[in-house]
Amino acid sequence: MWNSPRIGVLGGGQLGRMLMESANRHNIQMNILDVENAPAKQISAHDNHVVGSFNDHESVHKLAEISDILTTEIEHVNTFALEEVASEVQVEPSWRAIRIIQNKFEQKNYLSKHRIPMGNYSEVVDNTPEQLANIGQLLGYPFMLKSKTLAYDGRGNYPVKSEADIPAALEILKNRPLYAEKWVYFKKELAVMVVKTKDNVLSYPTVETIGEDSICKLVYAPARGVSGVVDEKAQELARNAVSAFEGKGVFGVEMFLCEDDSVLLCEIASRVHNSGHYTIEGCGLSQFDSHIRAILDLPIPPRSLELRQPSIMLNIVGGATPDAHLKVAELALSIPNTSIHMYSKGAGRPGRKMGHLTVTASTMHEAETIIQPLINLVDDIRA
Ligand code: ATP
Ligand code: MG
Ligand code: MG
C-alpha cells in the first residue's frame, strides 16, 4: 500500500496475533519476537520473526536490527534492552512509560503525582507479619496485597481479610516485591481504551468489565446503567492518566466505579487490552488498527472510535478438559451476530485464555439475550 516501516513486536500471544491481523489488512510487515510458532507468527508467513524471549537482551537487539519501530503486546518486557536500542529504532510507547507501568507500585506513585484519583495504598518494605499488621492498622481490613511486578489475571494479588490471613498471604507472595491497597468497595468495574497519537489523546467509550476468579470474563460496551456523566468522567480520567506517559499507542485503563459514582483508577496497561476486544466488531477502527495507526502517525478519524452497536465480549477460557473450550466455539457457530476469535494456543488449561467471542445487536437487551446460552456453556465447562 505504501512504503511502511517494519514493526517489531515484543510478544506474539493473542494480542500480537490480533495486531498481526490488522497489520496484514494494512499491508504492513510485522516481525514477532516470541517462541517458535507463537499465535501471532502462525498467521504471518515471512522469515523475519525472531525466536526468543522479550525478556532476553540479545533477542530484543536482534528484533531491533530488522525492524524500524518496536512496540509490545505485554508490559513485562526487558525495558533495559529497549532503552539500549532506542537510539537505533523508534520504541512506542516509550521504554520509560513501560518501565513505570510494569511496576504497579511505581505506576501508582507516578499517577498520584499526576493527580489521578485512586484508593490509598502503601509500600511493603519488608515482607514480615509485623509490617503487614501495621499496614492492616493503616488501611483497615480487608486490604489487597499485591506484587509490584509480573502481575496478571490476579496472579500476584491476595485479599487479606483479617490479621489471621497474613501468614497465608506472605506464604503465597513471599519472594515478590509487595505493596498493599486499601479495599475499594466498587459497584462496577469500568475500562476505557485510550489512543495516544503524536498530537492527540483519544478515547473509546467506557465499558463494563466482569471478572471471575480474577480473570476478565465479560465486557459490556457500553457500560450498562452508567450515566453520560460517569461515562465522560471515566473517559477523562483514562485520557488524563495516559497523557502522563511518553510515547504513542493504545493503553488500557481499568477503573472502579464506587457507590457515590466517583471513579478511581485500578491500573493501566501500556498496550492493547482484553477489555478492548469488542472494538473489532463494535467500532469503525479496532484497538489493534488504532495502535498500528498511532505508532506510524497514520490518520485516526475520532468518529471511528465511536461504538456502532452495543457489543458484549465473552472470554473463552480453558475448562476442565484440554479441549472443553472448543465446545463454546462450536456452539457459537450457530448463534447469530456472534464473531469467534480462537487464539490457536493448543491444549487448554483451566484459567488460560483460549479465545473470545463478541456478540453485537441493535440493543444491549438483544445482545444479552443472544449471548446467554454461551455464558451458560462457559459456566458449565469450568474446571
Ligand atoms: P490484570 O489481568 O487485569 O492485569 P492484575 O493481576 O494486574 O490483573 P488487578 O487488576 O490489580 O490485577 O486486580 C485484579 C482484580 O482484583 C480487579 O479487577 C478487581 O476486581 C480486584 N481488585 C484489585 N484491587 C482491588 C482493590 N484495591 N479493592 C478491591 N478489589 C480489587
Ligand atoms: Mg494488571
Ligand atoms: Mg487488572
Side-chain angles (χ1 to χ4, degrees):
M1 195 188 319
W2 61 82
N3 193 13
S4 163
R6 299 158 302 172
I7 301 176
V9 185
L10 281 73
Q14 68 265 24
L15 299 174
R17 182 175 169 102
M18 289 182 271
L19 280 170
M20 183 68 80
E21 288 175 357
S22 173
N24 286 343
R25 281 188 287 104
H26 285 86
N27 225 12
I28 290 168
Q29 182 182 322
M30 188 170 264
N31 307 328
I32 300 289
L33 163 58
D34 207 329
V35 295
E36 201 149 33
N37 208 34
K41 293 182 179 179
Q42 295 170 22
I43 60 166
S44 172
H46 63 69
D47 299 328
N48 290 294
H49 299 306
V50 178
V51 177
S53 161
F54 39 76
N55 275 313
D56 173 49
H57 252 256
E58 217 177 294
S59 304
V60 174
H61 277 268
K62 228 192 236 176
L63 183 72
E65 275 163 30
I66 54 166
S67 308
D68 303 300
I69 174 165
L70 294 189
T71 190
T72 71
E73 60 126 40
I74 179 169
E75 58 273 32
H76 307 305
V77 298
N78 187 331
T79 60
F80 295 94
L82 283 178
E83 180 179 359
E84 284 164 20
V85 300
S87 52
E88 301 157 34
V89 287
Q90 209 183 323
V91 177
E92 301 292 355
S94 135
W95 56 265
R96 286 188 194 85
I98 301 171
R99 187 172 298 164
I100 295 166
I101 286 171
Q102 69 181 190
N103 181 314
K104 289 164 94 170
F105 177 69
E106 296 302 334
Q107 181 194 131
K108 284 226 139 104
N109 284 342
Y110 185 81
L111 286 172
S112 55
K113 272 191 220 132
H114 284 83
R115 300 178 180 281
I116 301 301
M118 62 184 79
N120 282 344
Y121 63 97
S122 176
E123 185 167 27
V124 178
V125 181
D126 11 78
N127 297 0
T128 60
E130 296 72 33
Q131 165 118 108
L132 285 194
N134 287 340
I135 285 176
Q137 293 278 321
L138 181 78
L139 299 177
Y141 293 96
F143 66 83
M144 188 70 97
L145 188 62
K146 292 193 176 185
S147 174
K148 291 177 179 173
T149 56
L150 300 176
Y152 70 99
D153 289 346
R155 292 172 222 202
N157 288 357
Y158 196 100
V160 182
K161 297 193 183 75
S162 70
E163 203 171 333
D165 281 348
I166 289 176
L170 278 178
E171 180 54 29
I172 300 263
L173 297 174
K174 61 184 161 201
N175 295 322
R176 304 179 70 167
L178 302 177
Y179 76 106
E181 289 183 9
K182 190 178 171 69
W183 199 264
V184 178
Y185 292 93
F186 55 82
K187 61 177 174 187
K188 264 182 203 299
E189 292 194 77
L190 304 176
V192 170
M193 298 308 305
V194 175
V195 189
K196 195 159 178 286
T197 66
K198 67 177 188 312
D199 43 29
N200 220 341
V201 180
L202 306 166
S203 47
Y204 281 95
T206 305
V207 303
E208 172 185 357
T209 65
I210 295 182
E212 195 170 78
D213 301 333
S214 296
I215 302 174
C216 174
K217 179 180 187 186
L218 284 156
V219 173
Y220 292 84
R224 298 168 303 174
V226 159
S227 68
V229 174
V230 167
D231 175 22
E232 194 34 61
K233 193 166 23 176
Q235 289 194 47
E236 197 180 324
L237 188 160
R239 287 193 305 264
N240 287 342
V242 171
S243 302
F245 293 100
E246 272 178 46
K248 295 176 284 196
V250 163
F251 293 70
V253 183
E254 300 174 14
M255 288 160 282
F256 300 119
L257 176 62
C258 303
E259 287 299 335
D260 62 357
D261 272 355
S262 59
V263 180
L264 301 177
L265 179 101
C266 171
E267 62 165 343
I268 284 197
S270 52
R271 54 167 169 81
V272 288
H273 194 263
N274 199 168
S275 64
H277 293 353
Y278 76 91
T279 58
I280 299 175
E281 289 81 13
C283 303
L285 283 179
S286 75
Q287 60 168 342
F288 306 98
D289 297 337
S290 291
H291 183 69
I292 288 172
R293 291 184 184 208
I295 65 175
L296 296 182
D297 296 337
L298 299 172
I300 300 177
R303 278 188 54 197
S304 299
L305 307 191
E306 288 171 11
L307 197 60
R308 296 198 285 205
Q309 275 207 312
S311 310
I312 307 174
M313 193 267 344
L314 173 66
N315 270 337
I316 304 175
V317 172
T321 59
D323 60 358
H325 60 281
L326 297 177
K327 291 195 187 131
V328 182
E330 271 163 33
L331 175 62
L333 291 169
S334 321
I335 309 254
N337 298 340
T338 302
S339 297
I340 303 169
H341 301 258
M342 297 307 288
Y343 305 150
S344 192
K345 287 175 157 179
R349 282 197 305 271
R352 188 168 194 220
K353 290 174 181 167
M354 303 305 292
H356 78 266
L357 52 88
T358 301
V359 170
T360 58
S362 48
T363 64
M364 182 55 88
H365 180 71
E366 193 189 343
E368 287 174 313
T369 308
I370 293 173
I371 205 167
Q372 194 55 50
L374 291 160
I375 298 177
N376 295 344
L377 183 56
V378 160
D379 292 339
D380 283 350
I381 65 154
R382 276 185 67 189

